[in-house]
Amino acid sequence: PRFIYMRNPRRLGIQQNLNLGVRFARAPYIAPLDGDDLWCDAGKLAQQASFLDTNPDAVLVSGGFVMIDAVSKQVLTSFSDAWFNADEIRTRLLMENIIPHSAACYRREAFLTAGGYNSYFKVTGDYDLWLRLALMGTLHKTADIHLHHRMHRNNFSLVKHKRKVWEELQLIRRYRRHYPHGGAA
């Protein structure tokens, strides 16, 4: 009874499928998990829900990640202490997407108020959403490693690299007046 199976009569694309899933969700928090990534911390959801429960100004909480290759071998650990503070996240966010999609947990109501994922942004839809959410409340990162992010030659963001760069430039242009260091970005 906790699960809802949905099948679309036609292809909607990643962003619209995510939007549909969130609209049907009944929980107050949403934690996406992309198909090739793995949550590596069994307590991830409980920790993030607890954080959001006790920090009403927070609209999103995330953690760090370990990058793995196609056979699950660790390639890189990505984390920076400078990104724990909500003000520092806001300062850095326009320069790069420091919130891995599958490591995030956000408030469903904030997501709906922000308008969900924008289907124009095929590769950077999560980044656009984080920028909009950060205008509504604070974003946080904890010291926990929550995600094994898989990198392989068929990764969507690698295959669509030119599109990704184009979309990031459009996001910088769109949000440059709302964030510090718009010129540097």
Side-chain angles (χ1 to χ4, degrees):
R2 291 180 38 219
F3 294 92
I4 300 170
Y5 175 79
M6 299 180 326
R7 183 174 174 92
N8 298 324
R10 61 182 176 83
R11 294 176 63 112
L12 300 177
I14 294 169
Q15 310 306 344
Q16 290 306 316
N17 279 318
L18 288 166
N19 287 337
L20 187 63
V22 173
R23 281 191 205 97
F24 275 93
R26 294 180 293 242
Y29 307 132
I30 302 298
L33 179 60
D34 295 334
D36 52 356
D37 295 338
L38 306 165
W39 289 336
C40 59
D41 180 355
K44 173 194 182 297
L45 295 176
Q47 290 169 349
Q48 290 178 322
S50 176
F51 184 91
L52 291 170
D53 285 344
T54 57
N55 293 277
D57 63 318
V59 292
L60 178 146
V61 62
S62 183
F65 69 93
V66 172
M67 189 176 296
I68 59 175
D69 64 14
V71 294
S72 299
K73 180 181 173 197
Q74 182 173 335
V75 177
L76 173 75
T77 300
S78 177
F79 210 86
S80 170
D81 292 346
W83 297 339
F84 293 164
N85 179 295
D87 292 332
E88 291 169 349
I89 290 172
R90 184 169 173 75
T91 298
R92 185 80 184 154
L93 191 59
L94 191 60
M95 294 204 249
E96 68 178 305
N97 183 2
I98 58 173
I99 308 289
H101 189 240
S102 293
C105 181
Y106 51 83
R107 294 183 189 279
R108 180 177 178 270
E109 284 304 315
F111 171 91
L112 295 172
T113 301
Y117 294 95
N118 183 335
S119 60
Y120 174 79
F121 295 104
K122 306 288 186 215
V123 186
T124 59
D126 59 333
Y127 191 17
D128 173 59
L129 178 61
W130 307 159
L131 289 163
R132 284 183 283 126
L133 287 175
L135 296 175
M136 300 169 59
T138 58
L139 309 185
H140 296 266
K141 286 185 93 170
T142 66
D144 305 300
I145 300 293
H146 288 305
L147 177 68
H148 285 167
H149 178 63
R150 190 178 311 277
M151 291 300 293
H152 49 81
R153 64 180 177 194
N154 294 325
N155 272 88
F156 191 68
S157 60
L158 292 177
V159 172
K160 302 286 186 182
H161 183 71
K162 287 181 185 178
R163 171 87 189 201
K164 180 180 180 204
V165 171
W166 174 250
E167 288 181 8
E168 287 174 345
L169 289 171
Q170 291 179 333
L171 289 172
I172 291 167
R173 185 172 178 217
R174 178 179 286 188
Y175 295 103
R176 70 182 181 274
R177 290 186 180 91
H178 301 284
Y179 287 89
H181 310 297

